[in-house]
Amino acid sequence: MLVLSIETSCDETAAAVVRDGRTILSSVVSSQVLIHAEYGGVVPEIASRKHLEMISPVISQALRDAGIVMADIEGVAVTRGPGLSGALLVGFSAAKAIAAARKVPFVGVHHIEGHLLAAFLEQPLEFPFLALVVSGGHTHLYHVEGIGRYTTLGRTIDDAAGEAYDKSAKIMGMAYPGGALIDKLSLSGNPAAVALPRPLMHDGTLRFSFSGLKTAVLQHVAKHPLTVPSQELNDLCASFQQAVCDVLAFKTEAALKQTGARRLVVAGGVACNSGLRRRMAQLCDKMQINLSIPAPSLCGDNAAMLAVPGDYYLSNGLASPDSLDVTATWDMDSIKELLP
Ligand code: KG4
Ligand code: ZN
């Protein structure tokens, strides 16, 4: 099946054409990051307006890059949630309109479901597996038994890992979103230079907490004002990155032991992080676990990832009804209740 997929949940307008939920024919991502950087975070109203401006050109580009025309599309997959309602509505309305005009089915997909299945665009994977999803809004461990069959094992009780990266970067004087820059600077820093907490690491659960780590960075910067650039900044970045990776690796190891899973998928924007990729590779090497972390272009927000579940649902008669609406919040565990 030739699926057109569309993503507008936050600050990226994206469209892709994917064959059989596995082969990417095109993937176009138009980022608004520079626009929101000026405000230190995503401004929902601006995001919606920018999506409105970019949605048609991005879809046209995706069709052109794939060497096809709209009439070739056999189904449409689109992010239904979670995300900013106004932003979601732009992609969702476009998807519905295309599906109605072309008389093809459409399906509303969970954004995180796209992230955790993006690895299928690179290689076939076997179920079940453990998934660690780390993004701007999520830090979740899922037991994945099949497409649509997700059980949350643990999640953050406050900030997500990406949120902690971006908020800490802001405290250190970096532009939004600073996650990738902390990663880059940490390569030249000493991870043992600043003593930072590992919140909830030894609480015996699979819960995460990152807001205390951000507060510790704030307190450190208040006591030791930073010069930019400086070795002190690099050291603080490296120490922060080490703390985040310690917690993520520790809890992932605990979840692997608890579930007995033999495969691990790490996904979401923070999965681009060089320290996390290295730590997960070491962990999986030690535990003889099969590890999949998609290439960075498939970890960040993109539309191709939505076509993996999208193609599955459309091919199995699970298209969405015309009346379906977007949703700002959506529990992944509830998806299995919709399956036959
Ligand atoms: O998945 P994503 O693109 O969007 C959401 O669904 O949230 O993730 C974005 C998050 C941001 O917080 C960004 O700072 C973070 O991923 N990120 C990184 C890196 N690249 C992106 N965090 C740490 N290290 C990176 N290299
Ligand atoms: Zn995302």
Side-chain angles (χ1 to χ4, degrees):
M1 190 174 208
L2 208 51
V3 168
L4 170 69
S5 50
I6 299 172
E7 152 67 33
T8 62
S9 66
C10 190
D11 57 352
E12 257 100 33
T13 316
V17 177
V18 178
R19 176 171 287 129
D20 299 332
R22 294 295 180 271
T23 310
I24 302 175
L25 301 191
S26 67
S27 179
V28 179
V29 180
S30 166
S31 179
Q32 308 174 2
V33 130
L34 292 177
I35 298 166
H36 298 289
E38 215 179 298
Y39 304 91
V42 178
V43 184
E45 165 95 16
I46 297 176
S48 308
R49 288 175 185 274
K50 198 68 196 167
H51 284 310
L52 210 47
E53 184 188 325
M54 294 310 295
I55 191 75
S56 290
V58 164
I59 291 172
S60 301
Q61 186 67 45
L63 295 174
R64 259 198 312 278
D65 289 357
I68 61 162
V69 292
M70 196 66 95
D72 297 323
I73 292 297
E74 294 166 289
V76 184
V78 60
T79 305
R80 180 191 169 215
L84 303 167
S85 299
L88 287 163
L89 278 169
V90 177
F92 204 73
S93 309
K96 270 191 175 184
I98 291 167
R102 299 303 325 157
K103 297 190 172 47
V104 296
F106 91 100
V107 63
V109 175
H110 196 296
H111 178 79
I112 295 300
E113 190 175 15
H115 274 304
L116 77 77
L117 297 174
F120 283 84
L121 294 165
E122 292 184 332
Q123 75 207 92
L125 290 181
E126 272 177 49
F127 297 105
F129 57 79
L130 179 77
L132 171 69
V133 180
V134 271
S135 70
H138 281 71
T139 301
H140 280 58
L141 280 162
Y142 295 104
H143 181 233
V144 183
E145 290 168 284
I147 294 185
R149 300 178 196 281
Y150 318 108
T151 306
T152 302
L153 302 173
R155 53 172 297 173
T156 179
I157 58 168
D158 42 53
D159 292 351
E163 200 178 348
Y165 261 97
D166 297 339
K167 286 179 175 172
S168 299
K170 200 169 174 178
I171 294 166
M172 295 182 218
M174 299 172 199
Y176 173 86
L181 188 54
I182 290 190
D183 187 12
K184 190 171 162 217
L185 297 182
S186 70
L187 297 175
S188 314
N190 171 11
V194 184
L196 293 172
R198 270 76 173 147
L200 298 189
M201 189 151 109
H202 296 292
D203 73 337
T205 74
L206 296 177
R207 294 182 312 166
F208 299 92
S209 166
F210 290 106
S211 74
L213 185 54
K214 165 203 69 196
T215 308
V217 170
L218 184 66
Q219 286 165 347
H220 177 85
V221 171
K223 272 196 222 141
H224 311 273
L226 285 171
T227 326
V228 183
S230 66
Q231 187 56 43
E232 287 70 34
L233 175 62
N234 297 348
D235 287 347
L236 182 57
C237 288
S239 302
F240 174 83
Q241 181 138 315
Q242 180 84 353
V244 174
C245 291
D246 277 357
V247 176
L248 292 175
F250 190 91
K251 298 270 174 169
T252 302
E253 179 170 355
L256 285 166
K257 286 179 181 158
Q258 185 177 308
T259 57
R262 303 306 307 155
R263 287 170 284 275
L264 171 68
V265 169
V266 184
V270 183
C272 294
N273 186 269
S274 63
L276 184 62
R277 296 175 87 92
R278 207 167 36 246
R279 284 295 287 276
M280 290 296 161
Q282 285 164 356
L283 172 66
C284 290
D285 210 31
K286 180 181 89 176
M287 294 183 74
Q288 306 265 290
I289 298 288
N290 197 318
L291 173 67
S292 296
I293 312 182
S297 61
L298 287 174
C299 287
D301 284 349
N302 67 88
M305 65 185 193
L306 303 167
V308 181
D311 188 281
Y312 174 85
Y313 294 132
L314 293 170
S315 308
N316 285 280
L318 295 166
S320 298
D322 289 344
S323 57
L324 194 74
D325 197 355
V326 299
T327 173
T329 56
W330 188 0
D331 179 9
M332 281 270 282
D333 294 40
S334 68
I335 296 174
K336 53 177 150 338
E337 288 150 26
L338 304 172
L339 300 178

